[in-house]
Amino acid sequence: MEPTAEIQRLLDLMPASGRMMTKIISKPQQPKVIDVPFPMPWNRERRIFINFDLWRQLTKPQRDLILLRSVSWVIAIRWFKPDLYQGLAAAGALASCQELLQADAIGASVASLLTALAIRQLWRSYRSSQAEIAADEAALRVACRRGYSETEAAKHLLTAIEALAQIEKRGNLNFIELIRVQNLKAIAGLSPVGVPDSIKQE
């Protein structure tokens, strides 16, 4: 597989918002097939790193769905939207600057702690089962606009999640991956049991 040609194909597959916000980078030394670092607010560009030596072990539909899912997750992260934790992070950062200017070490420490806690909570919310399932379902919607049926797309994403664990020699799926797999099985019609709303919203 020639990385440049595959990157171009994947860019064509993405929704327009994904093409504008993300950049696919070949990273042959990484142990993961695909890695999407959590973007910090100062990073305007969302990077997606792919080990194309491992990537070629997935089928084309699996690659499509994994890429669409990764893009859906990373573009959903919005640092600058009205939200309690984002408001706390911004207030804490401003307070830290003010206290530092006034040479108030205790005030600066408290404000910095507030900022760190708010950012940590933001990170956790974007890594929650709710956010992960939402990214899967967003990827399925895009896939339906690219010629897949919802059932087909769910099956391909489901098998891709399991294939990634095998390729990366991780053994078992983690808890959130198991929840995602169960949700995709329900969408694909492979299981009558879906994921309870109480777990989806954790």
Side-chain angles (χ1 to χ4, degrees):
M1 179 182 292
E2 207 284 303
T4 303
E6 177 68 354
I7 288 171
Q8 187 56 55
R9 188 187 74 78
L10 295 173
L11 288 172
D12 292 340
L13 181 72
M14 285 186 197
S17 55
R19 284 192 293 273
M20 289 188 295
M21 294 179 68
T22 62
K23 182 176 183 179
I24 299 173
I25 300 168
S26 175
K27 195 173 182 183
Q29 69 273 25
Q30 74 180 16
K32 288 186 175 183
V33 177
I34 185 167
D35 186 34
V36 188
F38 191 82
M40 291 295 104
W42 51 85
N43 298 133
R44 296 179 61 189
E45 190 175 68
R46 312 293 169 93
R47 297 184 173 191
I48 298 173
F49 298 99
I50 297 177
N51 179 333
F52 286 99
D53 292 330
L54 301 177
W55 183 251
R56 74 179 74 233
Q57 297 179 44
L58 298 168
T59 66
K60 180 177 173 289
Q62 287 174 337
R63 297 196 306 263
D64 289 353
L65 268 297
I66 284 293
L67 187 279
L68 290 176
R69 195 267 170 199
S70 299
V71 170
S72 297
W73 178 77
V74 79
I75 66 175
I77 297 171
R78 307 281 190 205
W79 280 100
F80 304 107
K81 69 175 184 180
D83 178 271
L84 171 63
Y85 295 111
Q86 287 162 334
L88 285 174
L94 288 172
S96 296
C97 293
Q98 183 177 5
E99 298 299 337
L100 284 171
L101 289 173
Q102 294 177 359
D104 182 350
I106 295 174
S109 297
V110 170
S112 297
L113 179 61
L114 175 65
T115 305
L117 289 172
I119 289 174
R120 180 175 179 270
Q121 189 58 39
L122 269 174
W123 185 89
R124 289 182 64 190
S125 72
Y126 284 121
R127 285 294 188 187
S128 67
S129 54
Q130 182 179 18
E132 299 282 353
I133 287 173
D136 287 345
E137 293 175 351
L140 299 185
R141 289 192 295 273
V142 178
C144 288
R145 299 198 298 268
R146 299 294 186 266
Y148 292 94
S149 70
E150 184 180 50
T151 302
E152 286 176 332
K155 286 178 182 176
H156 292 311
L157 184 52
L158 165 65
T159 59
I161 292 168
E162 295 168 339
L164 288 178
Q166 290 180 345
I167 293 167
E168 295 169 0
K169 297 178 173 56
R170 288 189 278 121
N172 298 323
L173 300 178
N174 64 36
F175 178 70
I176 289 183
E177 286 172 329
L178 289 171
I179 291 173
R180 292 172 58 206
V181 163
Q182 188 58 44
N183 188 58
L184 290 166
K185 281 182 178 178
I187 294 170
L190 300 175
S191 172
V193 181
V195 176
D197 289 340
S198 59
I199 294 179
K200 282 186 178 183
Q201 293 168 6
E202 286 181 358

